[in-house]
Amino acid sequence: ISLNFHNSNRFLRFTQNPSLEPAHTMGNISACLSDETESNLNWPPGGIPEQYRVVGRSGATIRISENLDSPILLTIPAGKILQVDMVKGRRCRIIEPVQGWGSTSTEKGYVIIEKCNIENSKYKVVFREGVVVRNGSDPNNSEIVRLIPFGEVVESIGEITIVNDVKRVQLSDGWISMTRPPLDEQDDKEIVLLEKIE
């Protein structure tokens, strides 16, 4: 479900993922459009997004802004991978799977969100038609950035994640699929797009 709000030439997009737990009903979402919220819609540019994982047993509470008193958007359950482009103290700015702010830890030091331990890997494109780079991890809800031709070597900057049964890996400018489902429904063997270089 995607909800778009327009207010004073500012734009807020709220995407509800069925696997996430909403903190507000439809009637309460409008409360998020406070003066404080409007000031956070034009976010300053962040750095290169990095992968973080929710490790707190109760999940991570995501708020509309950096302010701990700002309205709650939702709770992301433990185990989910996040894309973070800014960290300020104990607060981190999340750009995927939702846009909002979460706490990396409590005041007493209990870790809620931690950076993934990532070792960059190199992959060779082995699919004759090449592979498409998209600007999001979900290939069904992201835009094409470029096409990587057959034989080219790329370097990952993130962990492998699985979206709709497809293995996806992050590059510096987007996401690519490592495999794709077979074209023939009777064939249970997936098509390999990338080959890891040792």
Side-chain angles (χ1 to χ4, degrees), residues 156-198:
S156 69
I157 63 167
E159 289 187 336
I160 296 172
T161 187
I162 298 177
V163 180
N164 298 327
D165 297 324
V166 175
K167 294 178 181 177
R168 302 275 287 168
V169 64
Q170 186 182 16
L171 308 181
S172 60
D173 61 344
W175 292 77
I176 56 175
S177 296
M178 299 183 64
T179 59
R180 81 179 204 186
L183 298 177
D184 188 346
E185 294 182 357
Q186 297 181 348
D187 188 357
D188 59 355
K189 188 175 182 180
E190 62 186 7
I191 299 173
V192 177
L193 309 180
L194 302 177
E195 185 178 89
K196 188 173 182 180
I197 300 176
E198 300 296 337

Side-chain angles (χ1 to χ4, degrees), residues 122-139:
K122 291 185 177 181
Y123 297 87
K124 183 178 181 179
V125 178
V126 295
F127 187 58
R128 287 287 177 182
E129 298 177 11
V131 294
V132 172
V133 181
R134 291 182 174 271
N135 61 4
S137 59
D138 186 347

Side-chain angles (χ1 to χ4, degrees), residues 41-55:
L41 297 183
N42 295 324
W43 283 358
I48 295 175
E50 296 182 291
Q51 285 192 336
Y52 282 66
R53 188 190 306 274
V54 178
V55 295

